[in-house]
Amino acid sequence: MHAYKNLLLSACVGAALSATAAHAATAGNYGAPQVTAAVRGSSLPSLRNAIVRPQDFHKSPAHPVRPIPLPAGDQDDIVVQSVSGIRAAPVLGSGVLGLGEGFTGPSGAFSVDSAPPDPSGAIGATQFMQIVNTGIAIFDKTTKVATYGPAPTNILWQGFGGHCESDNDGDGVVVYDKTANRWVVTQFAVEGATNLQCVAVSKTSDATGGYWRYAFDYGPSDFPDYPKLGVWPDAYYITFNIFGSSFNGARLCAYDRGAMLNGNPATQQCFQLSSSFGGVLPADLDGSTPPPAGSPNYLVNFDTNSLNLWKFHVDWLAPNNTSLIGPINIPAATFSPACRGGGTCIPQPNTQQRLDSLADRLMFRVGYRNFGNHESLVINHTVRADPAKRFDPHTGVRWYELRNPGGTPVVYQQSTFAPDGNFRFMGSLAMDKQGNIAMGYSVSSKSLFPSIRYTGRLATDPLNTMQAEATIIDGAGSQTSGLSRWGDYSTITVDPVDNCTFWYVNEYLQTTGAFNWSTRIASFKFPGCI
């Protein structure tokens, strides 16, 4: 029987499971999860054969900032790396213009229609897939030539019906399931009577091939903002900042990965946190070694001079056995979120317009690796970098390597990368198979147009240090006309084939203006990683 002929039955089963879960005994610290079925599902035979409809690209205003709670305190940062590293960062490979102003692909030219772009990208077996707020493109991994797009993101739900097909609302993310060699793409659809998360899982490693499509419903009053996805052996874990009339707290959900890889009816299991917790991110598996058998997914946010960690273990056969444990509070070196609480303070040349730092939350992704003798998570966010300059302190990227998440987690190393007075923000970092770390970010100042740079460290470098930074591309304009929204996130991922090469995507401007951003895709690796 075709998988989707069972969706109505699955919905009934899901409702029954949810009712059972609501009366279950306490599991972990949070009781039993809410269990609901995907409200819709179908198959897209081939993305490359889907018709690109220009009307699906629509001009939209700047997406508003929806602030989340910040920890209290105004602390000096005692781990600022204020000098350049001991050696040069790894040599940059070839870069290419991504989606944005000036990009032309097989489907024609891309027109910037929203802000910020929310640059997300993932590297697969033979392709790189990029997603911005309303569009996707696919590139050949070897040549970096665009082989598909630009296309509106909701082309993945063409023929699906409902608002996943008709809306192209953005906040999109793409990840690569390295164990199954599949692509997972998600964005929300929030213009209808209810709020949906639309999820597409490729049927093969070909990003232009077929997809299984799903829609998960979060109800008419719960706006699922800032969705972030992580791949784990037992589920696709996704987190949201839920807003109603005000901030309701983070919601942590697990999608049934096994079912979705095979196009079968799928359910989700969710826990709602209180309004004290926001900006939680799931761990995303890197490398070929899975977590220890039965390992929960690790989810993280930051608190006052510390990180919080939750352990989410899902049981698809017996949801009453699903558990969420945490938060486990992990002390870190003192810090203060940038911009006096995550606001707009990043300067640019030749304008009074400043940019959002989004310093109220961790930056995407939380990369996970299992080295056999230890497990590591790498994490970053934007902080104040100059404790003595209270009026207009510059910003840096605070990064961490967290170890032993399955036991008693500890910060193994950390520092705030701020080697000069420029403002660094919107970071993303990952770790290769040797334990080397690479980190990309935006950098700007009153004399420096917003640009894209990166740094890194060898596993053998002194702890708590990054090497000298290098430039991916220099910006040539400032963002003006009252538009402060910038990025929301950037993304660095690691090639699943060699487990060495880092791929990074972020935004910049080629000329001063508004709604005219561009993105850059670049790759590099440490010379000793083979």
Side-chain angles (χ1 to χ4, degrees):
M1 180 180 292
H2 193 280
Y4 288 101
K5 291 184 179 179
N6 279 329
L7 267 181
L8 183 58
L9 174 61
S10 176
C12 295
V13 171
L17 285 173
S18 183
T20 300
H23 296 89
T26 298
N29 295 344
Y30 294 88
Q34 180 187 22
V35 185
T36 55
V39 296
R40 188 182 295 269
S42 71
S43 169
L44 177 70
S46 173
L47 177 60
R48 73 179 69 90
N49 292 333
I51 299 171
V52 176
R53 301 180 300 197
Q55 66 269 24
D56 287 336
F57 287 108
H58 60 277
K59 183 78 173 181
S60 62
H63 291 198
V65 178
R66 294 181 175 87
I68 59 176
L70 272 168
D74 183 20
Q75 305 289 325
D76 290 348
D77 192 323
I78 61 173
V79 293
V80 174
Q81 183 181 340
S82 57
V83 296
S84 188
I86 59 174
R87 60 171 66 87
V91 176
L92 185 69
S94 61
V96 66
L97 183 69
L99 288 167
E101 190 79 10
F103 176 81
T104 299
S107 299
F110 180 85
S111 178
V112 173
D113 56 8
S114 61
D118 298 350
S120 176
I123 186 66
T126 62
Q127 298 159 308
F128 181 87
M129 188 173 189
Q130 184 190 10
I131 183 169
V132 293
N133 239 325
T134 58
I136 58 172
I138 297 167
F139 300 79
D140 179 86
K141 185 166 82 172
T142 301
T143 65
K144 292 190 173 72
V145 172
T147 59
Y148 179 86
T153 308
N154 65 336
I155 196 172
L156 285 161
W157 292 272
Q158 196 169 104
F160 187 73
H163 286 281
C164 285
E165 178 178 5
S166 61
D167 295 356
N168 198 34
D169 291 341
D171 260 27
V173 169
V174 56
V175 296
Y176 191 69
D177 185 334
K178 303 165 187 68
T179 304
N181 286 311
R182 306 287 190 89
W183 302 90
V184 188
V185 183
T186 184
Q187 73 169 1
F188 56 39
V190 293
E191 294 180 7
T194 191
N195 295 297
L196 301 175
Q197 193 67 26
C198 314
V199 186
V201 180
S202 69
K203 298 178 182 179
T204 69
S205 64
D206 180 7
T208 66
Y211 283 80
W212 303 113
R213 291 97 59 87
Y214 298 85
F216 293 93
D217 191 349
Y218 296 93
S221 59
D222 286 351
F223 183 89
D225 193 37
Y226 210 70
K228 294 293 172 288
L229 192 66
V231 177
W232 208 248
D234 60 2
Y236 296 128
Y237 287 85
I238 189 166
T239 58
F240 306 92
N241 293 325
I242 299 295
F243 287 86
S245 57
S246 60
F247 178 62
N248 294 337
R251 186 169 298 174
L252 318 180
C253 297
Y255 296 153
D256 190 342
R257 174 178 176 264
M260 297 167 78
L261 286 172
N262 293 291
N264 292 324
T267 58
Q268 66 172 342
Q269 298 187 23
C270 297
F271 291 97
Q272 178 66 45
L273 304 185
S274 77
S275 59
S276 298
F277 299 105
V280 181
L281 296 183
D284 185 33
L285 174 61
D286 284 332
S288 56
T289 304
S295 173
N297 187 262
Y298 306 113
L299 305 103
V300 189
N301 82 342
F302 70 78
D303 206 333
T304 303
N305 304 322
S306 61
L307 300 170
N308 288 321
L309 182 138
W310 288 261
K311 301 178 182 182
F312 190 163
H313 172 73
V314 67
D315 190 323
W316 296 108
L317 297 178
N320 292 351
N321 293 331
T322 293
S323 64
L324 179 68
I325 305 298
I328 301 166
N329 189 255
I330 308 162
T334 56
F335 64 84
S336 294
C339 303
R340 296 178 177 84
T344 300
C345 77
I346 308 297
Q348 309 173 90
N350 309 322
T351 179
Q352 296 300 308
Q353 178 61 58
R354 298 205 170 201
L355 302 176
D356 287 334
S357 64
L358 227 67
D360 60 351
R361 65 200 69 190
L362 295 179
M363 290 283 96
F364 189 62
R365 300 174 301 132
V366 173
Y368 166 91
R369 273 194 184 268
N370 183 3
F371 290 94
N373 61 354
H374 71 274
E375 301 170 82
S376 288
L377 299 171
V378 288
I379 303 161
N380 86 98
H381 58 112
T382 306
V383 300
R384 190 180 70 198
D386 186 351
K389 194 176 180 183
R390 301 291 183 177
F391 178 69
D392 193 16
H394 65 284
T395 64
V397 179
R398 168 66 73 90
W399 63 273
Y400 310 87
E401 181 186 354
L402 191 66
R403 289 194 177 182
N404 197 32
T408 302
V410 296
V411 173
Y412 176 71
Q413 59 175 329
Q414 62 188 314
S415 72
T416 296
F417 188 71
D420 55 36
N422 292 322
F423 289 64
R424 290 167 179 81
F425 63 112
M426 213 60 64
S428 187
L429 76 162
M431 181 179 282
D432 69 17
K433 67 182 181 183
Q434 294 183 339
N436 309 316
I437 296 174
M439 181 169 72
Y441 45 87
S442 296
V443 58
S444 184
S445 72
K446 291 180 180 178
S447 59
L448 175 68
F449 290 119
S451 301
I452 308 174
R453 295 183 181 177
Y454 71 101
T455 186
R457 56 167 283 109
L458 293 171
T460 54
D461 284 346
L463 290 177
N464 312 311
T465 62
M466 288 285 178
Q467 299 176 0
E469 71 180 357
T471 298
I472 290 176
I473 194 164
D474 287 319
S478 294
Q479 186 167 276
T480 58
S481 302
L483 183 59
S484 64
R485 306 292 288 111
W486 185 267
D488 266 14
Y489 39 97
S490 63
T491 312
I492 194 166
T493 58
V494 185
D495 189 321
V497 177
D498 68 9
N499 248 310
C500 290
T501 305
F502 298 92
W503 288 69
Y504 184 56
V505 58
N506 199 350
E507 75 163 295
Y508 70 105
L509 270 68
Q510 298 184 49
T511 59
T512 293
F515 286 92
N516 67 327
W517 47 261
S518 298
T519 64
R520 189 76 176 177
I521 302 165
S523 65
F524 53 91
K525 71 174 183 177
F526 290 89
C529 190
I530 55 175

